[in-house]
């Protein structure tokens, strides 16, 4: 029991140390195979349509062509496909006596017993984790219970990694939009420290000579413009004119964002004055 807890703790550390799914799962697979004294193992990952999106084979001397054939065969005819379709794990005590295991031509290693389980998150199966032995009857229901616990941890980490990638992609898109707009955009904390200044805002606060960066600084250290400081100092969302020293007039719209601070967008309305 202590060894199992130690393994689960190590796997938890590995899953939390890297958001790269391939590196993360390869290390988890190595630890699991070593703990179970198995011959090798694999992880298949699926997209929302249950198509294979990636796979990791611990057997590194297998060519890409052979690996693709293995994955295709076991998913359509073999044990991994059975696990995916049933949505539950299983144990094969002897592959010679269990038709869930498919033996194909030029198989690079001999398998006599296996255990596999789905990586499930909520109602969606993200993948299948399989560990195999070269001798029969080397697996047990206890091994399946352990694999279920490992798969549960891995599924959470996989979902977190995917959410992080999605969030990062949205952040990059939003950053590109904010940075390309001609309007000045400022984001400040509740204490009026700057969280974000787009290039237009940096130029506006820097005056004619140079732009300023200023992220993290109190707004009063970046500008002494009374109009802007008054608008951003308001406790409610507001709007109004901001007169600049160069003669331009900006229309500022300040919006309060819960748990963040304020977002101010300043548009040049000088031509309408």
């Amino acid at each position: 029991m202590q060894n199992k807890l130690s393994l689960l703790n190590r796997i938890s550390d590995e899953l939390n140390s890297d958001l790269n799914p391939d590196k993360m799962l390869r290390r988890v697979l190595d630890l699991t195979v070593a703990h179970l004294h198995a011959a090798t193992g694999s992880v298949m990952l699926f997209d929302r349509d249950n198509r294979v999106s990636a796979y990791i084979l611990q057997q590194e001397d297998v060519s890409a062509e052979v690996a693709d054939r293995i994955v295709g065969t076991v998913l359509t005819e073999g044990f991994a496909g059975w696990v995916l379709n049933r949505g539950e794990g299983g144990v094969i005590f002897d592959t010679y006596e269990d038709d869930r295991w498919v033996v194909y031509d030029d198989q690079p290693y001999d398998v006599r017993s296996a255990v596999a389980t789905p990586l499930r998150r909520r109602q969606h199966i993200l993948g299948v984790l399989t560990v195999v032995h070269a001798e029969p009857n080397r697996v047990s229901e206890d091994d399946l219970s352990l694999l279920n616990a490992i798969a549960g941890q891995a599924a959470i980490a996989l979902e977190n990694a995917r959410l992080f990638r999605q969030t990062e992609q949205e952040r990059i898109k939003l950053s590109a939009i904010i940075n390309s707009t001609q309007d000045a955009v400022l984001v400040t904390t509740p204490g009026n420290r700057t969280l974000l200044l787009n290039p237009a805002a940096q130029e506006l606060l820097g005056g004619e000579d140079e732009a300023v960066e200023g992220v993290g600084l109190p707004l009063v250290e970046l500008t002494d413009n009374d109009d802007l400081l008054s608008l951003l100092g308001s406790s409610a969302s507001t709007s109004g004119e901001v007169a600049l020293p160069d003669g331009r007039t900006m229309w500022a719209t300040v919006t309060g964002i819960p748990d963040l601070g304020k977002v101010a967008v300043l548009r040049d309305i000088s031509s309408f004055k």
Side-chain angles (χ1 to χ4, degrees), residues 248-267:
R248 289 183 296 164
T249 300
M250 312 295 287
W251 181 261
T253 302
V254 180
T255 305
I257 307 295
D259 301 321
L260 176 65
K262 298 185 183 70
V263 176
V265 179
L266 291 87
R267 174 166 295 181

Side-chain angles (χ1 to χ4, degrees), residues 121-196:
R121 187 63 179 149
R122 299 184 177 91
Q123 300 303 313
H124 180 54
I125 295 179
L126 306 179
V128 172
L129 170 62
T130 306
V131 175
V132 302
H133 291 266
E135 301 86 25
N137 300 307
R138 287 292 307 276
V139 293
S140 67
E141 294 294 337
D142 285 343
D143 293 338
L144 178 57
S145 295
L146 176 62
L147 219 62
N148 286 338
I150 293 171
Q153 289 182 319
I156 293 172
L158 274 175
E159 184 179 54
N160 289 341
R162 289 178 179 178
L163 289 173
F164 174 80
R165 287 199 305 274
Q166 291 172 2
T167 302
E168 186 66 9
Q169 289 169 354
E170 292 301 319
R171 186 195 65 79
I172 292 172
K173 291 178 184 177
L174 179 61
S175 179
I177 294 170
I178 290 175
N179 287 335
S180 64
T181 182
Q182 295 181 347
D183 295 339
V185 180
L186 300 82
V187 181
T188 61
T189 68
N192 255 1
R193 286 182 174 270
T194 55
L195 285 174
L196 180 148

Side-chain angles (χ1 to χ4, degrees), residues 40 55 59 83 103 165 189 214 218 222 227-228 242 252 254 268:
T40 187
Y55 58 82
Q59 194 90 6
V83 170
V103 178
R165 287 199 305 274
T189 68
L222 299 178
D227 293 338
L228 182 58
V242 175
V254 180
D268 193 339

Side-chain angles (χ1 to χ4, degrees), residues 4-271:
K4 290 181 180 180
L5 290 176
S6 177
L7 173 67
L8 291 174
N9 286 333
R10 290 187 64 188
I11 285 176
S12 177
D13 291 340
E14 293 292 339
L15 292 172
N16 292 324
S17 66
D18 201 325
L19 286 172
N20 182 306
D22 185 82
K23 292 180 180 178
M24 177 174 68
L25 292 176
R26 186 169 295 278
R27 182 59 182 150
V28 168
L29 185 60
D30 289 343
L31 288 171
T32 304
V33 168
H35 178 83
L36 294 177
H37 305 291
T40 187
S42 66
V43 179
M44 292 184 191
L45 299 180
F46 309 122
D47 62 18
R48 287 286 177 179
D49 296 317
N50 285 340
R51 294 174 300 195
V52 177
S53 60
Y55 58 82
I56 299 168
L57 303 180
Q58 196 196 33
Q59 194 90 6
E60 295 183 349
D61 57 350
V62 177
S63 69
E65 181 181 354
V66 172
D68 287 339
R69 189 167 70 250
I70 292 173
V71 170
T73 301
V74 300
L75 192 58
T76 56
E77 305 174 27
F79 196 26
W82 182 89
V83 170
L84 174 61
N85 292 329
R86 295 283 293 264
E88 62 184 30
V91 176
I92 294 179
F93 298 102
D94 191 340
T95 59
Y96 288 5
E97 299 178 0
D98 195 315
D99 59 10
R100 291 177 297 174
W101 191 263
V102 176
V103 178
Y104 41 88
D105 295 336
D106 301 322
Q107 183 168 299
Y109 46 86
D110 191 28
V111 174
R112 290 299 307 276
S113 53
V115 57
T117 196
L119 280 66
R120 182 194 298 277
R121 187 63 179 149
R122 299 184 177 91
Q123 300 303 313
H124 180 54
I125 295 179
L126 306 179
V128 172
L129 170 62
T130 306
V131 175
V132 302
H133 291 266
E135 301 86 25
N137 300 307
R138 287 292 307 276
V139 293
S140 67
E141 294 294 337
D142 285 343
D143 293 338
L144 178 57
S145 295
L146 176 62
L147 219 62
N148 286 338
I150 293 171
Q153 289 182 319
I156 293 172
L158 274 175
E159 184 179 54
N160 289 341
R162 289 178 179 178
L163 289 173
F164 174 80
R165 287 199 305 274
Q166 291 172 2
T167 302
E168 186 66 9
Q169 289 169 354
E170 292 301 319
R171 186 195 65 79
I172 292 172
K173 291 178 184 177
L174 179 61
S175 179
I177 294 170
I178 290 175
N179 287 335
S180 64
T181 182
Q182 295 181 347
D183 295 339
V185 180
L186 300 82
V187 181
T188 61
T189 68
N192 255 1
R193 286 182 174 270
T194 55
L195 285 174
L196 180 148
L197 298 170
N198 76 339
Q202 294 174 11
E203 182 181 358
L204 183 148
L205 293 177
E208 296 181 355
D209 297 330
E210 59 179 352
V212 298
E213 292 188 4
V215 173
L217 294 176
L219 190 61
V220 292
E221 293 185 16
L222 299 178
T223 183
D224 58 1
N225 188 297
D226 291 335
D227 293 338
L228 182 58
L229 291 174
S230 175
L231 288 169
L232 282 168
S234 172
S235 59
S237 297
T238 186
S239 59
E241 292 186 0
V242 175
L244 300 182
D246 61 8
R248 289 183 296 164
T249 300
M250 312 295 287
W251 181 261
T253 302
V254 180
T255 305
I257 307 295
D259 301 321
L260 176 65
K262 298 185 183 70
V263 176
V265 179
L266 291 87
R267 174 166 295 181
D268 193 339
I269 59 170
S270 302
S271 60

